[in-house]
Amino acid sequence: MPDVQRVALFVTCVVDIVSPEVGVASVRLLEAAGCEVLFPEAQTCCGQPAANSGEPEAAARLARHFIDVFEPYDAIVSPSGSCAAMIHHWYDRLLTGRERDRARAVASKTFELSQYLVVELGKTELGARLDATVTVHDACHGLRNIGVGGSARVLLEAAGATIIEMEESETCCGFGGTFSIEHGEVAGPLADDKLAHAAATEAQYLASGDSACLLHLEGRRRRTGTGPEPIHFAELIARGLA
Amino acid sequence: MVSGVAALTDSLRAALSANRVVVHGPVTPADAAQHVVGRALLHSPGGDVAVSPADRLVAELGIVDHLKAAGTNVLLPGDVGWRDRLSAAGLGVTGCWLAVAETGSLALAARVGSPRAVSLLPPVHLCLVAVDDIVATFSGAIARAAGAPLPSALTWVGGPSRTGDLEMIQTFGVHGPSTVEVVLVA
Amino acid sequence: MTHGIVTPGESFAERATNAVANPDLQRALRNLDIRLHTARAVADTTPEMKDQAAELRREVLADLDGWLDTLEASLTRVGATVHRADTPADARRIVLDLANREGAHTIVKSKSMATEEIDLGAALESVGIEVVETDLGEYIVQVADERPSHMITPAIHKTLDQIASVLETRADGPLPVEREALAAWTHDHLRPAFLRAEIGISGVNFAAADTGTITIVTNEGNGRLCTTWPRVHIALMPIEKVIARFGDLATLLPLLTRSATGQSLSNYVSMLTGPRRDDESDGPDELHVVFLDHNRKALVGTAYEEILACIRCGACLNVCPVYRKVSGHAYDAVYSGPMGKILTPLLSLGEEGRDLPGASSLCGACTEACPVEIPLADLLVRLRADLRAPGPLLPLPAPAGLTSPIGHHRLPGEGFAWPTSQAPLASRPPPRSTRHMVFGAWSRVWSSPAGYRASAAAARLGGLSPSGWARRVPLVKGWTATRDLPLPDRRSFRARWAARESGAERW
Ligand code: SF4
């Protein structure tokens, strides 16, 4: 590996438009780990909303665009386990022939942020200092489709946070893209369960690695007042950076 | 090899006990019949005791004769009214083809003189298990079964009849025997 | 309202709404939480066994017709009679003919999803035959005139109080709300039915092609009784239940029972090879095995064929966050949970359950739990694509020459990397629906950086609010009914990045 890792940040459309602070925090974490961060400005969306809605033609269009934009880079890092999983899991099945080969090549160098720092670079100590109690929600696609595992916990603990595990940390929060709009009758109660489990830990923060899930949880929490503040782990750790 | 049998016996006992099977022994072949007689008088006082006479240990130990000598009404396949009387019998006595230590299962092979229902209709099932017939694993047992002609019914019994249908809490004694006892025979 | 459902409604969403609002149901459903630990234990202890089982199941699917022929030959050799049914109607007719010929008055049934699939009970009752469900859970729902809500635990939607009142309608007096007493009452109450029934009907858990052995697992003993005492045993077997070898039971059977109930082996396993033999005292004189196709063969060779690997363990239901909230009746289908969302539209060629594949958050817990590694979440996504076109759902074969990139895509939630799982997402051409047009237009705009920036800027202008959140947005009221909606931030990440690059901002 070269001394300085050059990393292309795929910030995701949700973070770019709704939660830019998570993008800022991701840059700060990567830079704290010694990376040089590049932001390919032509990036848009990975196409996941279309793929999961059963609109593969639209998803393939965005997949092609993503590959065109990110192909030149050595490493692609995203603060969303779900979007990283989209590239790993679905690009393969959206594209064929030569495009598929390109998709596989791009997927092989695409990482979720915590996974990249902890597993790829082996950098857990980023110089952040936190005095906080945190419970972690393992967002589904990062957990099950790309095996992110406990990387976010490792980073939080290295920054001095105390992790208090909640019941069913691996159970879905109820977001699920269009599901959360078409089936609010189930998505709402699932958010309630997640927030209640988090509340039971009495932790200050409910951290996770997917902004969309966090927005869904915060949206519910604004109605019920239950549960700790949902926050992206990168944003929380960045608060502890000098 | 003796230690092998002892270890298998211990783990079978543990697995059966976990399945709520009452385990007796190991007893010597000489004592086994008296043991069966004792259980028969307890479980079916004055009633029928159904027996599978063709099962190896049942035949070798002369269980039928011992039961008769003790004055119990022995019900044998082929007896007049066997089908009607079986459901009312207080106890069914069988041997087994083999027992699986890993899962705590008793494998019963149906054949002439070893009907399927002796271990099924009476409320108590008493099974004689020769410690030499204990195999370690279920896959080992399946391999043994696959190596010979299969009986019309090969039944694997774990323990007393049970259900999880009442709020997922294991409840015993639905359709099959509510009590299963094993007599280990050395 | 559909028959026998405690949470009625016209759509999944309506039934789910009723389910979530039903306190008794919610209380009963919490009893299922214990199965989360079962699933965890399976996932942690048997990865190699899962791989092995996954391979065995797919080995059969690769030549389903061939294995069925072998099975038929073996069954015939051991004295059983094989009937082939292409449709549920065929299967019903075969069973009715046998019942007629036998002059049957009473039929005892052990739990079988396949008999539910062909609605056999109603068909037999309509000709005046008494049909007695003998699995306790199944009996409870039969008496309550409801449907099973879980393939392993049919009455999971009922509390003990409710169960006692249901059974009481068949008792001479009040029944105590006490488990052992209810089990004992069931024993005494149903025993005469076993003794008088002329026919026993069961499903099949596995049918070994080499030996013609059918295996049936139960815990209560009702399966043994149904296959031991009546003169005729009819086993209804969906064709995918065939396994290649008797020896494969060593892998498949413990995996099934572990995944279903956490037991190392079910309390009773019956391996039946033919009917009673000469001079045996019990066992049926006749064994009939009915092979049920019902559009299954049409799935072989398509991206959906892996659903036929299913061994009906129920694990995917137990871990599904949606199932755990709404229970089986919300699916208004024989098969519920993740596998039911897949099987229902496929078996009915799209006539039923078209809204089921959408009712998933795609969390992948089902895929992770499935002991035979069926990529359930993926199949749900595929169905969403293939169900866009109205009319019959007829999946096209997966393209030839697909390879499975083992090593690249083999993570817990990815499932077994079977070639057809690599097929392109849609097997049918898209229709020109509004939704398709909207996604198409959106993807075109967002494939251009300028279009993306412009639309994001427009959204920002449209969604300015001091808090950054909206309480009511008519366009997405499915969201705002239960949650505040986040609005675009005043400054996008790319605006902040540009400001930093130009030195106007420091992070
Ligand atoms: S799909 Fe898998 S987990 Fe679900 S019932 Fe079938 S085998 Fe079990």
Side-chain angles (χ1 to χ4, degrees), chain B residues 82-153:
Chain B
W82 180 80
R83 275 182 77 96
D84 296 333
R85 283 169 66 193
L86 185 61
S87 199
L91 173 68
V93 179
T94 72
C96 72
W97 171 57
L98 47 77
V100 185
E102 173 192 41
T103 54
S105 307
L106 310 167
L108 311 175
R111 58 192 169 113
V112 178
S114 298
R116 309 173 186 200
V118 172
S119 61
L120 180 60
L121 287 180
V124 183
H125 171 209
L126 180 73
C127 183
L128 291 156
V129 178
V131 294
D132 293 334
D133 288 337
I134 304 173
V135 297
T137 61
F138 179 68
S139 57
I142 287 292
R144 287 256 286 260
L150 287 159
S152 62

Side-chain angles (χ1 to χ4, degrees), chain C residues 189-241:
Chain C
H189 182 72
L190 290 183
R191 179 57 66 90
F194 287 116
L195 301 182
R196 72 171 174 268
E198 298 92 347
I199 298 179
I201 295 182
S202 75
V204 171
N205 289 103
F206 299 107
D210 60 346
T211 59
T213 303
I214 64 177
T215 296
I216 296 164
V217 303
T218 66
N219 275 317
E220 300 176 2
N222 59 315
R224 289 182 68 193
L225 280 160
C226 288
T227 61
T228 294
W229 218 238
R231 206 189 76 79
V232 175
H233 170 203
I234 304 173
L236 182 62
M237 188 195 92
I239 51 174
E240 77 271 28
K241 300 285 180 163

Side-chain angles (χ1 to χ4, degrees), chain B residues 13 34 68 92:
Chain B
R13 184 202 313 278
Q34 274 326 303
K68 281 184 175 160

Side-chain angles (χ1 to χ4, degrees), chain A residues 31 55 88-89 180 223, chain C residues 409 414 436 483-484 500:
Chain A
E31 288 179 351
E55 292 289 344
H88 276 268
H89 189 80
S180 62
R223 295 281 170 94
Chain C
H409 282 257
E414 296 275 290
H436 180 65
R483 288 144 293 170
D484 283 5
R500 188 201 199 203

Side-chain angles (χ1 to χ4, degrees), chain B residues 16-33:
Chain B
L16 286 170
S17 304
N19 283 348
R20 292 266 194 123
V21 174
V22 179
V23 184
H24 306 277
V27 298
T28 63
D31 291 343

Side-chain angles (χ1 to χ4, degrees), chain C residues 69-262:
Chain C
D69 289 345
T70 310
L71 174 63
E72 176 165 8
S74 298
L75 281 166
T76 308
R77 192 178 63 238
V78 298
T81 308
V82 173
H83 309 258
R84 296 208 182 213
D86 286 341
T87 64
D90 291 348
R92 285 192 298 267
R93 189 184 36 71
I94 290 164
V95 177
L96 277 169
D97 285 351
L98 287 168
N100 269 335
R101 192 209 61 189
E102 199 61 16
H105 297 96
T106 302
I107 292 181
V108 281
K109 274 187 68 220
S110 99
K111 183 156 65 64
S112 145
M113 295 306 292
T115 60
E116 300 284 337
E117 182 182 324
I118 65 168
D119 211 0
L120 183 59
L124 291 165
E125 280 167 355
S126 73
V127 296
I129 296 172
E130 178 198 28
V131 179
V132 183
E133 293 289 351
T134 60
D135 171 83
L136 175 53
E138 198 82 26
Y139 182 65
I140 293 164
V141 297
Q142 185 188 30
V143 174
D145 197 17
E146 290 170 10
R147 286 191 188 178
S149 63
H150 187 287
M151 65 174 90
I152 303 291
T153 326
I156 186 67
H157 60 289
K158 290 209 173 311
T159 63
L160 194 64
D161 304 17
Q162 292 175 323
I163 290 170
S165 358
V166 167
L167 295 179
E168 219 161 78
T169 63
R170 296 292 169 95
D172 295 331
L175 289 177
V177 184
E178 200 248 301
R179 288 187 184 80
E180 305 286 341
L182 293 173
W185 178 84
T186 307
H187 175 279
D188 296 347
H189 182 72
L190 290 183
R191 179 57 66 90
F194 287 116
L195 301 182
R196 72 171 174 268
E198 298 92 347
I199 298 179
I201 295 182
S202 75
V204 171
N205 289 103
F206 299 107
D210 60 346
T211 59
T213 303
I214 64 177
T215 296
I216 296 164
V217 303
T218 66
N219 275 317
E220 300 176 2
N222 59 315
R224 289 182 68 193
L225 280 160
C226 288
T227 61
T228 294
W229 218 238
R231 206 189 76 79
V232 175
H233 170 203
I234 304 173
L236 182 62
M237 188 195 92
I239 51 174
E240 77 271 28
K241 300 285 180 163
V242 59
I243 63 173
R245 290 159 293 266
F246 178 85
D248 297 344
L249 289 167
T251 304
L252 293 168
L253 196 53
L255 196 67
L256 167 64
T257 65
R258 225 173 274 170
S259 308
T261 58

Side-chain angles (χ1 to χ4, degrees), chain A residues 16-17 21 31 41 43-44 52 55 57 61 88-89 93 100 141 144 168 180 193 220 223, chain C residues 325 362 368 378 384 388 409 413-414 422 436 443 446 452 471 482-484 489 494 500:
Chain A
D16 182 28
I17 298 172
E21 205 55 51
E31 288 179 351
E41 303 228 15
Q43 66 178 274
T44 62
N52 286 358
E55 292 289 344
E57 301 78 16
R61 206 168 277 128
H88 276 268
H89 189 80
R93 283 100 159 163
R100 181 176 220 179
H141 295 157
R144 301 200 177 87
E168 294 198 33
S180 62
D193 284 1
R220 182 65 185 158
R223 295 281 170 94
Chain C
K325 276 282 162 245
L362 302 177
E368 185 181 41
D378 287 9
R384 290 176 183 188
R388 287 177 298 173
H409 282 257
E414 296 275 290
Q422 309 299 314
H436 180 65
S443 64
W446 277 30
Y452 171 85
R471 188 87 346 158
T482 50
R483 288 144 293 170
D484 283 5
D489 201 278
R494 70 187 57 226
R500 188 201 199 203

